[in-house]
Coordinates of all heavy atoms in Angstrom, one line a residue:
R109 N -9.6 -5.0 3.5 CA -8.8 -3.8 3.0 C -7.4 -3.9 3.4 O -6.5 -3.5 2.6 CB -9.5 -2.6 3.5 CG -10.9 -2.3 2.9 CD -11.5 -1.0 3.5 NE -10.8 0.2 3.1 CZ -11.2 1.4 3.4 NH1 -12.3 1.5 4.1 NH2 -10.5 2.4 3.0
V110 N -7.1 -4.3 4.7 CA -5.7 -4.3 5.1 C -4.9 -5.4 4.3 O -3.8 -5.1 3.8 CB -5.7 -4.7 6.6 CG1 -4.2 -5.1 7.0 CG2 -6.1 -3.5 7.4
E111 N -5.5 -6.5 4.1 CA -4.9 -7.6 3.4 C -4.6 -7.2 1.9 O -3.6 -7.4 1.3 CB -5.6 -8.9 3.4 CG -5.6 -9.5 4.8 CD -6.2 -10.9 4.8 OE1 -6.1 -11.6 3.8 OE2 -6.7 -11.4 5.9
R112 N -5.6 -6.5 1.3 CA -5.5 -6.1 -0.1 C -4.4 -5.0 -0.2 O -3.6 -5.0 -1.1 CB -6.8 -5.5 -0.6 CG -7.8 -6.5 -1.0 CD -8.9 -5.9 -1.9 NE -9.5 -4.7 -1.3 CZ -10.6 -4.8 -0.6 NH1 -11.2 -5.9 -0.3 NH2 -11.1 -3.6 -0.1
A113 N -4.3 -4.1 0.8 CA -3.3 -3.1 0.8 C -1.9 -3.7 0.9 O -1.0 -3.3 0.2 CB -3.5 -2.1 2.0
F114 N -1.7 -4.6 1.8 CA -0.4 -5.3 1.9 C 0.0 -6.0 0.6 O 1.1 -5.9 0.1 CB -0.4 -6.3 3.1 CG 0.1 -5.7 4.4 CD1 -0.9 -5.4 5.4 CD2 1.4 -5.4 4.6 CE1 -0.5 -4.8 6.6 CE2 1.8 -4.8 5.8 CZ 0.9 -4.6 6.8
A115 N -1.0 -6.7 0.0 CA -0.7 -7.4 -1.2 C -0.3 -6.5 -2.3 O 0.6 -6.7 -3.1 CB -1.9 -8.3 -1.6
A116 N -1.0 -5.3 -2.4 CA -0.7 -4.3 -3.5 C 0.7 -3.7 -3.2 O 1.4 -3.5 -4.2 CB -1.8 -3.3 -3.5
I117 N 1.0 -3.5 -2.0 CA 2.3 -2.9 -1.7 C 3.4 -3.8 -2.1 O 4.4 -3.4 -2.8 CB 2.4 -2.6 -0.2 CG1 1.5 -1.4 0.2 CG2 3.9 -2.3 0.2 CD1 1.4 -1.3 1.7
L118 N 3.3 -5.1 -1.8 CA 4.3 -6.1 -2.3 C 4.4 -6.1 -3.8 O 5.5 -6.2 -4.3 CB 4.0 -7.5 -1.7 CG 3.9 -7.6 -0.2 CD1 3.9 -9.1 0.2 CD2 5.1 -6.9 0.5
Q119 N 3.3 -6.1 -4.5 CA 3.3 -6.2 -5.9 C 4.0 -5.0 -6.5 O 4.8 -5.1 -7.4 CB 1.9 -6.3 -6.5 CG 1.8 -6.3 -8.0 CD 0.4 -6.5 -8.5 OE1 -0.5 -6.9 -7.8 NE2 0.2 -6.2 -9.8
D120 N 3.6 -3.8 -6.0 CA 4.1 -2.5 -6.6 C 5.6 -2.4 -6.2 O 6.4 -2.0 -7.1 CB 3.4 -1.3 -6.0 CG 2.0 -1.2 -6.6 OD1 1.8 -1.6 -7.8 OD2 1.1 -0.7 -5.9
S121 N 6.0 -2.8 -5.0 CA 7.4 -2.7 -4.7 C 8.3 -3.7 -5.4 O 9.5 -3.4 -5.6 CB 7.6 -2.9 -3.2 OG 7.3 -4.2 -2.8
R122 N 7.7 -4.8 -5.9 CA 8.5 -5.7 -6.7 C 8.6 -5.3 -8.2 O 9.7 -5.4 -8.8 CB 7.9 -7.1 -6.6 CG 8.1 -7.8 -5.2 CD 7.2 -9.0 -5.1 NE 7.4 -9.6 -3.7 CZ 6.5 -10.5 -3.3 NH1 5.5 -10.9 -3.9 NH2 6.8 -11.0 -2.1
E123 N 7.5 -4.9 -8.7 CA 7.4 -4.5 -10.1 C 8.2 -3.2 -10.4 O 8.8 -3.0 -11.4 CB 6.0 -4.4 -10.6 CG 5.3 -5.8 -10.6 CD 3.8 -5.6 -11.0 OE1 3.4 -4.5 -11.2 OE2 3.2 -6.7 -11.1
Q124 N 8.0 -2.2 -9.4 CA 8.7 -0.9 -9.5 C 8.4 -0.2 -10.8 O 9.3 0.3 -11.5 CB 10.2 -1.1 -9.2 CG 10.5 -1.6 -7.8 CD 12.0 -1.4 -7.5 OE1 12.7 -0.8 -8.2 NE2 12.3 -2.0 -6.3
Q125 N 7.1 -0.2 -11.2 CA 6.7 0.6 -12.4 C 6.5 2.0 -11.9 O 6.7 2.4 -10.8 CB 5.5 0.0 -13.0 CG 5.7 -1.4 -13.5 CD 4.5 -1.9 -14.2 OE1 3.9 -1.2 -15.1 NE2 4.1 -3.2 -14.0
G126 N 6.1 2.9 -12.9 CA 6.0 4.3 -12.6 C 5.2 4.6 -11.4 O 4.1 4.0 -11.2
L127 N 5.7 5.5 -10.6 CA 5.0 6.0 -9.4 C 4.8 4.9 -8.3 O 4.0 5.0 -7.4 CB 3.7 6.7 -9.7 CG 3.8 7.9 -10.6 CD1 2.4 8.4 -11.0 CD2 4.6 9.0 -10.0
W128 N 5.6 3.9 -8.4 CA 5.4 2.7 -7.5 C 5.5 3.1 -6.0 O 4.8 2.6 -5.2 CB 6.3 1.6 -7.8 CG 7.8 1.8 -7.5 CD1 8.7 2.4 -8.3 CD2 8.5 1.4 -6.3 NE1 9.9 2.4 -7.7 CE2 9.8 1.8 -6.5 CE3 8.1 0.8 -5.2 CZ2 10.8 1.6 -5.5 CZ3 9.1 0.6 -4.2 CH2 10.4 1.0 -4.4
Q129 N 6.5 4.0 -5.7 CA 6.7 4.4 -4.3 C 5.5 5.1 -3.8 O 5.0 4.9 -2.6 CB 7.9 5.2 -4.1 CG 9.2 4.4 -4.4 CD 10.4 5.2 -4.0 OE1 10.6 5.6 -2.9 NE2 11.3 5.4 -5.0
H130 N 4.9 6.0 -4.6 CA 3.7 6.7 -4.2 C 2.5 5.8 -4.0 O 1.8 6.0 -3.0 CB 3.3 7.8 -5.3 CG 4.4 8.8 -5.5 ND1 4.5 9.9 -4.6 CD2 5.3 8.9 -6.4 CE1 5.5 10.6 -5.1 NE2 6.0 10.1 -6.1
L131 N 2.4 4.8 -4.8 CA 1.3 3.8 -4.6 C 1.5 3.0 -3.4 O 0.6 2.8 -2.6 CB 1.3 2.9 -5.8 CG 0.8 3.5 -7.2 CD1 1.0 2.5 -8.3 CD2 -0.7 3.8 -7.1
C132 N 2.8 2.6 -3.1 CA 3.0 1.9 -1.8 C 2.7 2.8 -0.6 O 2.1 2.3 0.4 CB 4.5 1.5 -1.8 SG 5.0 0.2 -2.9
L133 N 3.1 4.0 -0.7 CA 2.8 4.9 0.5 C 1.3 5.1 0.7 O 0.8 5.2 1.8 CB 3.5 6.3 0.3 CG 5.0 6.2 0.4 CD1 5.6 7.6 0.0 CD2 5.5 5.8 1.8
N134 N 0.6 5.2 -0.4 CA -0.9 5.3 -0.3 C -1.5 4.1 0.4 O -2.4 4.2 1.2 CB -1.5 5.4 -1.7 CG -1.4 6.8 -2.2 OD1 -1.2 7.8 -1.5 ND2 -1.6 7.0 -3.5
G135 N -0.9 2.9 0.1 CA -1.4 1.7 0.7 C -1.0 1.7 2.2 O -1.9 1.3 3.1
L136 N 0.1 2.1 2.6 CA 0.5 2.2 4.0 C -0.3 3.2 4.7 O -0.7 3.0 5.9 CB 2.0 2.6 4.1 CG 3.0 1.5 3.7 CD1 4.4 2.1 3.5 CD2 3.1 0.5 4.8
R137 N -0.6 4.4 4.1 CA -1.5 5.3 4.7 C -2.9 4.7 5.0 O -3.4 4.9 6.1 CB -1.7 6.6 3.8 CG -0.4 7.4 3.7 CD -0.7 8.7 2.9 NE 0.5 9.5 2.8 CZ 1.3 9.5 1.7 NH1 0.9 8.8 0.6 NH2 2.3 10.2 1.6
E138 N -3.4 3.9 4.1 CA -4.7 3.3 4.3 C -4.6 2.4 5.5 O -5.5 2.4 6.4 CB -5.1 2.5 3.1 CG -6.5 1.9 3.2 CD -7.0 1.2 2.0 OE1 -6.2 0.9 1.1 OE2 -8.2 0.8 1.9
I139 N -3.6 1.6 5.6 CA -3.4 0.6 6.7 C -3.4 1.4 8.0 O -4.0 1.1 9.0 CB -2.2 -0.2 6.5 CG1 -2.4 -1.1 5.3 CG2 -1.9 -1.1 7.8 CD1 -1.1 -1.8 4.8
V140 N -2.5 2.4 8.1 CA -2.4 3.2 9.3 C -3.7 3.9 9.7 O -4.0 3.9 10.9 CB -1.2 4.2 9.2 CG1 -1.2 5.2 10.4 CG2 0.1 3.5 9.1
L141 N -4.4 4.4 8.8 CA -5.6 5.1 9.1 C -6.7 4.1 9.5 O -7.5 4.4 10.4 CB -6.1 5.9 7.9 CG -5.3 7.1 7.5 CD1 -5.7 7.8 6.2 CD2 -5.3 8.1 8.7
L142 N -6.7 2.9 8.9 CA -7.6 1.9 9.4 C -7.3 1.4 10.8 O -8.2 1.2 11.6 CB -7.6 0.6 8.5 CG -8.3 0.8 7.1 CD1 -7.9 -0.3 6.2 CD2 -9.8 0.9 7.3
M143 N -6.0 1.4 11.2 CA -5.6 1.1 12.6 C -6.2 2.2 13.5 O -6.7 1.9 14.5 CB -4.1 1.1 12.7 CG -3.4 -0.1 12.0 SD -1.6 0.0 12.1 CE -1.3 -0.2 13.8
A144 N -6.0 3.5 13.1 CA -6.5 4.6 13.9 C -8.0 4.5 14.0 O -8.5 4.8 15.1 CB -6.0 5.9 13.3
R145 N -8.7 4.2 13.0 CA -10.1 4.2 13.0 C -10.6 3.0 13.9 O -11.6 3.2 14.7 CB -10.7 4.0 11.6 CG -12.3 4.2 11.6 CD -12.8 4.1 10.2 NE -12.8 2.8 9.7 CZ -13.3 2.5 8.5 NH1 -13.8 3.4 7.7 NH2 -13.2 1.2 8.0
S146 N -9.9 1.9 13.9 CA -10.3 0.8 14.8 C -10.1 1.2 16.2 O -10.9 0.7 17.1 CB -9.4 -0.4 14.5 OG -9.6 -1.0 13.2

């Protein structure tokens, strides 16, 4: 999940299509919450 989230963040930040920043932030939230859960 962490690796998929990073890969998606990079893709969205490069393509910069609609709502890309929100999608990136969702990915970051998932990573941070997985860290907290660990």
Side-chain angles (χ1 to χ4, degrees):
R109 290 178 67 175
V110 167
E111 291 191 26
R112 285 199 304 267
F114 270 103
I117 290 167
L118 298 193
Q119 179 179 341
D120 289 326
S121 65
R122 290 167 179 167
E123 295 177 355
Q124 296 193 10
Q125 298 188 43
L127 301 176
W128 69 274
Q129 292 189 59
H130 297 282
L131 290 169
C132 288
L133 290 174
N134 281 342
L136 286 164
R137 290 187 183 98
E138 181 176 17
I139 295 167
V140 169
L141 291 173
L142 286 169
M143 291 175 68
R145 189 175 71 176
S146 292

